[in-house]
mmCIF file of all heavy atoms in Angstrom:
data_model
loop_
_atom_site.group_PDB
_atom_site.id
_atom_site.type_symbol
_atom_site.label_atom_id
_atom_site.label_comp_id
_atom_site.label_asym_id
_atom_site.label_seq_id
_atom_site.Cartn_x
_atom_site.Cartn_y
_atom_site.Cartn_z
ATOM 1 N N ILE B 120 92.590 112.646 141.549
ATOM 2 C CA ILE B 120 91.634 113.722 141.865
ATOM 3 C C ILE B 120 90.290 113.470 141.179
ATOM 4 O O ILE B 120 90.247 113.054 140.042
ATOM 5 C CB ILE B 120 92.173 115.104 141.389
ATOM 6 C CG1 ILE B 120 93.644 115.260 141.803
ATOM 7 C CG2 ILE B 120 91.309 116.228 141.875
ATOM 8 C CD1 ILE B 120 93.829 115.748 143.242
ATOM 9 N N MET B 121 89.205 113.803 141.933
ATOM 10 C CA MET B 121 87.895 113.702 141.339
ATOM 11 C C MET B 121 87.288 115.077 141.371
ATOM 12 O O MET B 121 87.483 115.825 142.308
ATOM 13 C CB MET B 121 86.947 112.813 142.188
ATOM 14 C CG MET B 121 87.436 111.411 142.471
ATOM 15 S SD MET B 121 86.271 110.558 143.552
ATOM 16 C CE MET B 121 86.685 111.204 145.170
ATOM 17 N N SER B 122 86.591 115.428 140.314
ATOM 18 C CA SER B 122 85.918 116.714 140.300
ATOM 19 C C SER B 122 84.713 116.741 139.379
ATOM 20 O O SER B 122 84.723 116.076 138.364
ATOM 21 C CB SER B 122 86.917 117.794 139.892
ATOM 22 O OG SER B 122 86.280 119.068 139.766
ATOM 23 N N SER B 123 83.736 117.505 139.781
ATOM 24 C CA SER B 123 82.556 117.611 138.924
ATOM 25 C C SER B 123 82.807 118.640 137.815
ATOM 26 O O SER B 123 82.092 118.697 136.845
ATOM 27 C CB SER B 123 81.353 118.028 139.747
ATOM 28 O OG SER B 123 81.670 119.226 140.452
ATOM 29 N N GLU B 124 83.823 119.426 138.004
ATOM 30 C CA GLU B 124 84.123 120.466 137.013
ATOM 31 C C GLU B 124 85.226 119.969 136.046
ATOM 32 O O GLU B 124 86.302 119.607 136.441
ATOM 33 C CB GLU B 124 84.640 121.750 137.698
ATOM 34 C CG GLU B 124 83.964 122.063 138.984
ATOM 35 C CD GLU B 124 82.650 122.800 138.821
ATOM 36 O OE1 GLU B 124 82.568 123.739 138.055
ATOM 37 O OE2 GLU B 124 81.656 122.358 139.461
ATOM 38 N N ASN B 125 84.819 119.966 134.799
ATOM 39 C CA ASN B 125 85.751 119.474 133.776
ATOM 40 C C ASN B 125 86.541 120.667 133.221
ATOM 41 O O ASN B 125 86.399 121.069 132.074
ATOM 42 C CB ASN B 125 84.887 118.866 132.664
ATOM 43 C CG ASN B 125 85.718 117.994 131.772
ATOM 44 O OD1 ASN B 125 86.924 117.922 131.877
ATOM 45 N ND2 ASN B 125 85.028 117.329 130.831
ATOM 46 N N VAL B 126 87.384 121.181 134.066
ATOM 47 C CA VAL B 126 88.169 122.380 133.680
ATOM 48 C C VAL B 126 89.598 121.998 133.332
ATOM 49 O O VAL B 126 90.323 121.504 134.193
ATOM 50 C CB VAL B 126 88.124 123.416 134.850
ATOM 51 C CG1 VAL B 126 88.970 124.627 134.496
ATOM 52 C CG2 VAL B 126 86.706 123.802 135.150
ATOM 53 N N LEU B 127 89.963 122.283 132.141
ATOM 54 C CA LEU B 127 91.293 121.850 131.644
ATOM 55 C C LEU B 127 92.436 122.386 132.509
ATOM 56 O O LEU B 127 93.357 121.654 132.826
ATOM 57 C CB LEU B 127 91.470 122.293 130.215
ATOM 58 C CG LEU B 127 92.470 121.475 129.389
ATOM 59 C CD1 LEU B 127 92.245 119.983 129.574
ATOM 60 C CD2 LEU B 127 92.312 121.867 127.913
ATOM 61 N N THR B 128 92.295 123.674 132.868
ATOM 62 C CA THR B 128 93.446 124.249 133.646
ATOM 63 C C THR B 128 93.567 123.548 135.015
ATOM 64 O O THR B 128 94.627 123.326 135.547
ATOM 65 C CB THR B 128 93.216 125.762 133.926
ATOM 66 O OG1 THR B 128 91.877 125.945 134.345
ATOM 67 C CG2 THR B 128 93.480 126.536 132.628
ATOM 68 N N ARG B 129 92.424 123.196 135.540
ATOM 69 C CA ARG B 129 92.416 122.466 136.845
ATOM 70 C C ARG B 129 93.072 121.125 136.705
ATOM 71 O O ARG B 129 93.864 120.686 137.525
ATOM 72 C CB ARG B 129 90.975 122.364 137.342
ATOM 73 C CG ARG B 129 90.858 121.567 138.629
ATOM 74 C CD ARG B 129 89.444 121.446 139.093
ATOM 75 N NE ARG B 129 88.907 122.756 139.519
ATOM 76 C CZ ARG B 129 87.707 122.903 140.093
ATOM 77 N NH1 ARG B 129 86.947 121.871 140.290
ATOM 78 N NH2 ARG B 129 87.278 124.080 140.421
ATOM 79 N N ILE B 130 92.644 120.422 135.649
ATOM 80 C CA ILE B 130 93.199 119.072 135.414
ATOM 81 C C ILE B 130 94.701 119.152 135.250
ATOM 82 O O ILE B 130 95.444 118.423 135.859
ATOM 83 C CB ILE B 130 92.543 118.481 134.121
ATOM 84 C CG1 ILE B 130 91.076 118.317 134.327
ATOM 85 C CG2 ILE B 130 93.215 117.169 133.800
ATOM 86 C CD1 ILE B 130 90.299 117.942 133.077
ATOM 87 N N ASP B 131 95.148 120.129 134.409
ATOM 88 C CA ASP B 131 96.590 120.263 134.176
ATOM 89 C C ASP B 131 97.333 120.610 135.446
ATOM 90 O O ASP B 131 98.398 120.021 135.709
ATOM 91 C CB ASP B 131 96.838 121.317 133.119
ATOM 92 C CG ASP B 131 96.467 120.900 131.717
ATOM 93 O OD1 ASP B 131 96.359 119.653 131.529
ATOM 94 O OD2 ASP B 131 96.307 121.720 130.822
ATOM 95 N N ARG B 132 96.782 121.474 136.190
ATOM 96 C CA ARG B 132 97.424 121.856 137.461
ATOM 97 C C ARG B 132 97.643 120.649 138.377
ATOM 98 O O ARG B 132 98.710 120.431 138.966
ATOM 99 C CB ARG B 132 96.470 122.824 138.185
ATOM 100 C CG ARG B 132 97.149 124.105 138.640
ATOM 101 C CD ARG B 132 96.054 125.064 139.045
ATOM 102 N NE ARG B 132 96.154 125.418 140.443
ATOM 103 C CZ ARG B 132 95.128 125.482 141.267
ATOM 104 N NH1 ARG B 132 93.931 125.209 140.872
ATOM 105 N NH2 ARG B 132 95.268 125.819 142.510
ATOM 106 N N CYS B 133 96.634 119.837 138.437
ATOM 107 C CA CYS B 133 96.712 118.637 139.307
ATOM 108 C C CYS B 133 97.727 117.636 138.750
ATOM 109 O O CYS B 133 98.513 117.051 139.498
ATOM 110 C CB CYS B 133 95.341 117.969 139.398
ATOM 111 S SG CYS B 133 94.159 118.909 140.369
ATOM 112 N N LEU B 134 97.684 117.441 137.487
ATOM 113 C CA LEU B 134 98.605 116.476 136.889
ATOM 114 C C LEU B 134 100.026 116.949 137.049
ATOM 115 O O LEU B 134 100.974 116.200 137.360
ATOM 116 C CB LEU B 134 98.280 116.224 135.421
ATOM 117 C CG LEU B 134 96.947 115.537 135.167
ATOM 118 C CD1 LEU B 134 96.621 115.461 133.698
ATOM 119 C CD2 LEU B 134 96.905 114.127 135.789
ATOM 120 N N GLU B 135 100.227 118.283 136.893
ATOM 121 C CA GLU B 135 101.540 118.854 137.031
ATOM 122 C C GLU B 135 102.059 118.690 138.452
ATOM 123 O O GLU B 135 103.276 118.526 138.687
ATOM 124 C CB GLU B 135 101.525 120.348 136.714
ATOM 125 C CG GLU B 135 101.872 120.650 135.279
ATOM 126 C CD GLU B 135 101.428 122.048 134.870
ATOM 127 O OE1 GLU B 135 101.607 122.998 135.706
ATOM 128 O OE2 GLU B 135 100.884 122.190 133.801
ATOM 129 N N GLU B 136 101.132 118.779 139.394
ATOM 130 C CA GLU B 136 101.561 118.627 140.782
ATOM 131 C C GLU B 136 101.806 117.171 141.149
ATOM 132 O O GLU B 136 102.177 116.891 142.317
ATOM 133 C CB GLU B 136 100.439 119.249 141.660
ATOM 134 C CG GLU B 136 100.855 119.649 143.056
ATOM 135 C CD GLU B 136 101.961 120.706 143.032
ATOM 136 O OE1 GLU B 136 101.865 121.640 142.219
ATOM 137 O OE2 GLU B 136 102.909 120.565 143.833
ATOM 138 N N GLY B 137 101.511 116.255 140.267
ATOM 139 C CA GLY B 137 101.831 114.862 140.479
ATOM 140 C C GLY B 137 100.707 113.936 140.622
ATOM 141 O O GLY B 137 100.854 112.780 141.025
ATOM 142 N N ALA B 138 99.501 114.442 140.361
ATOM 143 C CA ALA B 138 98.350 113.540 140.427
ATOM 144 C C ALA B 138 98.460 112.457 139.326
ATOM 145 O O ALA B 138 98.909 112.765 138.233
ATOM 146 C CB ALA B 138 97.054 114.291 140.252
ATOM 147 N N GLU B 139 98.022 111.282 139.661
ATOM 148 C CA GLU B 139 98.107 110.190 138.668
ATOM 149 C C GLU B 139 97.048 110.312 137.637
ATOM 150 O O GLU B 139 97.206 109.925 136.467
ATOM 151 C CB GLU B 139 97.891 108.823 139.384
ATOM 152 C CG GLU B 139 98.888 108.431 140.364
ATOM 153 C CD GLU B 139 100.192 107.981 139.734
ATOM 154 O OE1 GLU B 139 100.148 107.260 138.733
ATOM 155 O OE2 GLU B 139 101.260 108.392 140.218
ATOM 156 N N ASP B 140 95.902 110.778 138.081
ATOM 157 C CA ASP B 140 94.759 110.774 137.130
ATOM 158 C C ASP B 140 93.717 111.809 137.671
ATOM 159 O O ASP B 140 93.798 112.236 138.837
ATOM 160 C CB ASP B 140 94.159 109.390 137.071
ATOM 161 C CG ASP B 140 93.296 109.185 135.812
ATOM 162 O OD1 ASP B 140 93.009 110.185 135.099
ATOM 163 O OD2 ASP B 140 92.933 108.047 135.538
ATOM 164 N N PHE B 141 92.809 112.104 136.822
ATOM 165 C CA PHE B 141 91.783 113.081 137.172
ATOM 166 C C PHE B 141 90.504 112.510 136.623
ATOM 167 O O PHE B 141 90.356 112.248 135.448
ATOM 168 C CB PHE B 141 92.098 114.411 136.454
ATOM 169 C CG PHE B 141 91.237 115.520 136.878
ATOM 170 C CD1 PHE B 141 91.714 116.482 137.789
ATOM 171 C CD2 PHE B 141 89.947 115.682 136.395
ATOM 172 C CE1 PHE B 141 90.922 117.572 138.194
ATOM 173 C CE2 PHE B 141 89.151 116.771 136.779
ATOM 174 C CZ PHE B 141 89.652 117.676 137.671
ATOM 175 N N ILE B 142 89.553 112.269 137.524
ATOM 176 C CA ILE B 142 88.265 111.662 137.132
ATOM 177 C C ILE B 142 87.167 112.693 137.255
ATOM 178 O O ILE B 142 87.006 113.354 138.266
ATOM 179 C CB ILE B 142 87.933 110.441 138.055
ATOM 180 C CG1 ILE B 142 89.007 109.397 137.948
ATOM 181 C CG2 ILE B 142 86.581 109.862 137.680
ATOM 182 C CD1 ILE B 142 88.786 108.195 138.835
ATOM 183 N N VAL B 143 86.397 112.817 136.200
ATOM 184 C CA VAL B 143 85.289 113.749 136.237
ATOM 185 C C VAL B 143 84.081 113.046 136.882
ATOM 186 O O VAL B 143 83.762 111.923 136.526
ATOM 187 C CB VAL B 143 84.917 114.207 134.800
ATOM 188 C CG1 VAL B 143 83.713 115.140 134.836
ATOM 189 C CG2 VAL B 143 86.094 114.887 134.178
ATOM 190 N N LYS B 144 83.551 113.690 137.840
ATOM 191 C CA LYS B 144 82.356 113.097 138.497
ATOM 192 C C LYS B 144 81.134 113.277 137.605
ATOM 193 O O LYS B 144 81.052 114.178 136.844
ATOM 194 C CB LYS B 144 82.124 113.842 139.832
ATOM 195 C CG LYS B 144 83.035 113.480 140.969
ATOM 196 C CD LYS B 144 82.671 114.256 142.205
ATOM 197 C CE LYS B 144 83.179 113.655 143.474
ATOM 198 N NZ LYS B 144 82.789 114.359 144.667
ATOM 199 N N PRO B 145 80.088 112.403 137.788
ATOM 200 C CA PRO B 145 80.039 111.361 138.802
ATOM 201 C C PRO B 145 80.874 110.156 138.402
ATOM 202 O O PRO B 145 81.015 109.828 137.258
ATOM 203 C CB PRO B 145 78.528 110.957 138.741
ATOM 204 C CG PRO B 145 78.082 111.299 137.383
ATOM 205 C CD PRO B 145 78.887 112.511 136.983
ATOM 206 N N VAL B 146 81.477 109.566 139.441
ATOM 207 C CA VAL B 146 82.388 108.485 139.176
ATOM 208 C C VAL B 146 81.627 107.193 138.847
ATOM 209 O O VAL B 146 80.632 106.826 139.501
ATOM 210 C CB VAL B 146 83.272 108.202 140.435
ATOM 211 C CG1 VAL B 146 84.302 107.154 140.173
ATOM 212 C CG2 VAL B 146 83.923 109.526 140.834
ATOM 213 N N LYS B 147 82.090 106.523 137.818
ATOM 214 C CA LYS B 147 81.411 105.284 137.378
ATOM 215 C C LYS B 147 82.283 104.093 137.722
ATOM 216 O O LYS B 147 83.484 104.198 137.937
ATOM 217 C CB LYS B 147 81.186 105.375 135.897
ATOM 218 C CG LYS B 147 80.196 106.413 135.462
ATOM 219 C CD LYS B 147 80.072 106.498 133.953
ATOM 220 C CE LYS B 147 78.796 107.126 133.493
ATOM 221 N NZ LYS B 147 78.314 108.264 134.226
ATOM 222 N N LEU B 148 81.612 102.981 137.627
ATOM 223 C CA LEU B 148 82.322 101.724 137.880
ATOM 224 C C LEU B 148 83.506 101.529 136.915
ATOM 225 O O LEU B 148 84.566 101.082 137.298
ATOM 226 C CB LEU B 148 81.367 100.522 137.776
ATOM 227 C CG LEU B 148 81.857 99.159 138.280
ATOM 228 C CD1 LEU B 148 82.370 99.236 139.700
ATOM 229 C CD2 LEU B 148 80.751 98.102 138.166
ATOM 230 N N SER B 149 83.308 101.894 135.680
ATOM 231 C CA SER B 149 84.376 101.770 134.692
ATOM 232 C C SER B 149 85.577 102.595 135.031
ATOM 233 O O SER B 149 86.725 102.215 134.768
ATOM 234 C CB SER B 149 83.856 102.099 133.283
ATOM 235 O OG SER B 149 83.298 103.404 133.291
ATOM 236 N N ASP B 150 85.367 103.782 135.624
ATOM 237 C CA ASP B 150 86.460 104.625 136.049
ATOM 238 C C ASP B 150 87.339 103.921 137.062
ATOM 239 O O ASP B 150 88.559 103.902 136.978
ATOM 240 C CB ASP B 150 85.927 105.892 136.682
ATOM 241 C CG ASP B 150 85.240 106.819 135.702
ATOM 242 O OD1 ASP B 150 85.684 106.863 134.555
ATOM 243 O OD2 ASP B 150 84.218 107.442 136.109
ATOM 244 N N VAL B 151 86.651 103.333 138.038
ATOM 245 C CA VAL B 151 87.426 102.706 139.137
ATOM 246 C C VAL B 151 88.092 101.465 138.663
ATOM 247 O O VAL B 151 89.272 101.173 139.032
ATOM 248 C CB VAL B 151 86.458 102.384 140.328
ATOM 249 C CG1 VAL B 151 87.222 101.701 141.448
ATOM 250 C CG2 VAL B 151 85.838 103.680 140.834
ATOM 251 N N LYS B 152 87.438 100.732 137.797
ATOM 252 C CA LYS B 152 88.059 99.489 137.264
ATOM 253 C C LYS B 152 89.282 99.850 136.460
ATOM 254 O O LYS B 152 90.347 99.214 136.543
ATOM 255 C CB LYS B 152 87.055 98.738 136.393
ATOM 256 C CG LYS B 152 86.045 97.915 137.166
ATOM 257 C CD LYS B 152 85.149 97.110 136.220
ATOM 258 C CE LYS B 152 84.324 96.151 137.023
ATOM 259 N NZ LYS B 152 83.262 95.514 136.219
ATOM 260 N N ARG B 153 89.154 100.850 135.628
ATOM 261 C CA ARG B 153 90.248 101.283 134.753
ATOM 262 C C ARG B 153 91.458 101.686 135.642
ATOM 263 O O ARG B 153 92.576 101.328 135.442
ATOM 264 C CB ARG B 153 89.821 102.432 133.892
ATOM 265 C CG ARG B 153 90.866 103.077 133.054
ATOM 266 C CD ARG B 153 90.269 104.212 132.236
ATOM 267 N NE ARG B 153 89.778 105.288 133.046
ATOM 268 C CZ ARG B 153 90.474 106.346 133.429
ATOM 269 N NH1 ARG B 153 91.727 106.416 133.118
ATOM 270 N NH2 ARG B 153 89.908 107.310 134.152
ATOM 271 N N LEU B 154 91.129 102.469 136.620
ATOM 272 C CA LEU B 154 92.130 102.987 137.558
ATOM 273 C C LEU B 154 92.896 101.855 138.200
ATOM 274 O O LEU B 154 94.103 101.789 138.234
ATOM 275 C CB LEU B 154 91.439 103.800 138.634
ATOM 276 C CG LEU B 154 92.196 104.854 139.403
ATOM 277 C CD1 LEU B 154 92.636 105.920 138.444
ATOM 278 C CD2 LEU B 154 91.299 105.461 140.420
ATOM 279 N N LYS B 155 92.083 100.948 138.739
ATOM 280 C CA LYS B 155 92.685 99.823 139.456
ATOM 281 C C LYS B 155 93.529 98.995 138.535
ATOM 282 O O LYS B 155 94.620 98.571 138.905
ATOM 283 C CB LYS B 155 91.608 98.996 140.104
ATOM 284 C CG LYS B 155 92.171 98.198 141.245
ATOM 285 C CD LYS B 155 91.291 97.097 141.752
ATOM 286 C CE LYS B 155 92.047 96.313 142.837
ATOM 287 N NZ LYS B 155 91.609 94.946 142.963
ATOM 288 N N SER B 156 93.056 98.797 137.339
ATOM 289 C CA SER B 156 93.758 97.850 136.449
ATOM 290 C C SER B 156 95.044 98.489 135.973
ATOM 291 O O SER B 156 96.061 97.822 135.925
ATOM 292 C CB SER B 156 92.880 97.443 135.328
ATOM 293 O OG SER B 156 92.993 98.333 134.250
ATOM 294 N N TYR B 157 95.081 99.764 135.698
ATOM 295 C CA TYR B 157 96.342 100.276 135.165
ATOM 296 C C TYR B 157 97.302 100.627 136.288
ATOM 297 O O TYR B 157 98.528 100.717 136.061
ATOM 298 C CB TYR B 157 96.151 101.410 134.147
ATOM 299 C CG TYR B 157 96.061 102.835 134.662
ATOM 300 C CD1 TYR B 157 97.140 103.538 135.157
ATOM 301 C CD2 TYR B 157 94.818 103.505 134.535
ATOM 302 C CE1 TYR B 157 97.043 104.841 135.586
ATOM 303 C CE2 TYR B 157 94.708 104.808 134.983
ATOM 304 C CZ TYR B 157 95.827 105.497 135.504
ATOM 305 O OH TYR B 157 95.705 106.769 135.907
ATOM 306 N N MET B 158 96.786 100.751 137.496
ATOM 307 C CA MET B 158 97.739 101.027 138.565
ATOM 308 C C MET B 158 98.207 99.783 139.304
ATOM 309 O O MET B 158 99.299 99.744 139.780
ATOM 310 C CB MET B 158 97.082 101.980 139.591
ATOM 311 C CG MET B 158 97.027 103.350 139.089
ATOM 312 S SD MET B 158 96.148 104.284 140.269
ATOM 313 C CE MET B 158 97.212 105.544 140.476
ATOM 314 N N PHE B 159 97.257 98.831 139.482
ATOM 315 C CA PHE B 159 97.615 97.698 140.276
ATOM 316 C C PHE B 159 97.419 96.375 139.587
ATOM 317 O O PHE B 159 97.617 95.331 140.160
ATOM 318 C CB PHE B 159 96.799 97.733 141.570
ATOM 319 C CG PHE B 159 96.900 98.989 142.327
ATOM 320 C CD1 PHE B 159 95.878 99.933 142.272
ATOM 321 C CD2 PHE B 159 98.045 99.262 143.060
ATOM 322 C CE1 PHE B 159 95.997 101.108 142.990
ATOM 323 C CE2 PHE B 159 98.154 100.470 143.769
ATOM 324 C CZ PHE B 159 97.127 101.382 143.747
ATOM 325 N N GLY B 160 96.973 96.469 138.361
ATOM 326 C CA GLY B 160 96.640 95.212 137.716
ATOM 327 C C GLY B 160 97.616 94.803 136.652
ATOM 328 O O GLY B 160 98.767 95.324 136.593
ATOM 329 N N GLU B 161 97.168 93.969 135.766
ATOM 330 C CA GLU B 161 98.076 93.528 134.731
ATOM 331 C C GLU B 161 97.972 94.349 133.506
ATOM 332 O O GLU B 161 98.291 93.935 132.398
ATOM 333 C CB GLU B 161 97.764 92.051 134.316
ATOM 334 C CG GLU B 161 97.936 91.051 135.434
ATOM 335 C CD GLU B 161 96.673 90.908 136.283
ATOM 336 O OE1 GLU B 161 95.632 91.364 135.842
ATOM 337 O OE2 GLU B 161 96.772 90.329 137.341
ATOM 338 N N GLY B 162 97.486 95.588 133.644
ATOM 339 C CA GLY B 162 97.342 96.422 132.454
ATOM 340 C C GLY B 162 98.645 96.635 131.766
ATOM 341 O O GLY B 162 99.668 96.862 132.397
ATOM 342 N N PRO B 163 98.613 96.683 130.484
ATOM 343 C CA PRO B 163 99.853 96.892 129.724
ATOM 344 C C PRO B 163 100.327 98.313 129.815
ATOM 345 O O PRO B 163 101.492 98.593 129.626
ATOM 346 C CB PRO B 163 99.459 96.548 128.324
ATOM 347 C CG PRO B 163 97.991 96.765 128.233
ATOM 348 C CD PRO B 163 97.472 96.466 129.617
ATOM 349 N N ILE B 164 99.442 99.219 130.190
ATOM 350 C CA ILE B 164 99.801 100.623 130.254
ATOM 351 C C ILE B 164 100.287 100.981 131.628
ATOM 352 O O ILE B 164 99.550 100.855 132.587
ATOM 353 C CB ILE B 164 98.591 101.483 129.885
ATOM 354 C CG1 ILE B 164 98.121 101.145 128.460
ATOM 355 C CG2 ILE B 164 98.930 102.961 129.990
ATOM 356 C CD1 ILE B 164 96.777 101.651 128.135
ATOM 357 N N GLN B 165 101.469 101.362 131.716
ATOM 358 C CA GLN B 165 102.034 101.760 133.025
ATOM 359 C C GLN B 165 102.683 103.109 132.948
ATOM 360 O O GLN B 165 103.128 103.517 131.878
ATOM 361 C CB GLN B 165 103.065 100.701 133.480
ATOM 362 C CG GLN B 165 102.543 99.289 133.556
ATOM 363 C CD GLN B 165 101.542 99.122 134.675
ATOM 364 O OE1 GLN B 165 101.359 99.967 135.519
ATOM 365 N NE2 GLN B 165 100.816 97.993 134.639
#
Side-chain angles (χ1 to χ4, degrees):
Chain B
I120 311 280
M121 304 178 281
S122 175
S123 54
E124 322 277 313
N125 197 354
V126 178
L127 205 47
T128 47
R129 175 180 294 187
I130 297 170
D131 286 344
R132 233 167 116 223
C133 290
L134 294 175
E135 267 163 41
E136 202 59 44
E139 295 287 316
D140 200 349
F141 189 101
I142 300 178
V143 179
K144 281 181 161 183
V146 185
K147 294 175 159 38
L148 191 53
S149 54
D150 292 324
V151 178
K152 280 183 171 171
R153 174 179 64 90
L154 203 63
K155 201 193 175 206
S156 89
Y157 87 74
M158 285 176 130
F159 305 104
E161 296 88 13
I164 299 166
Q165 303 292 348

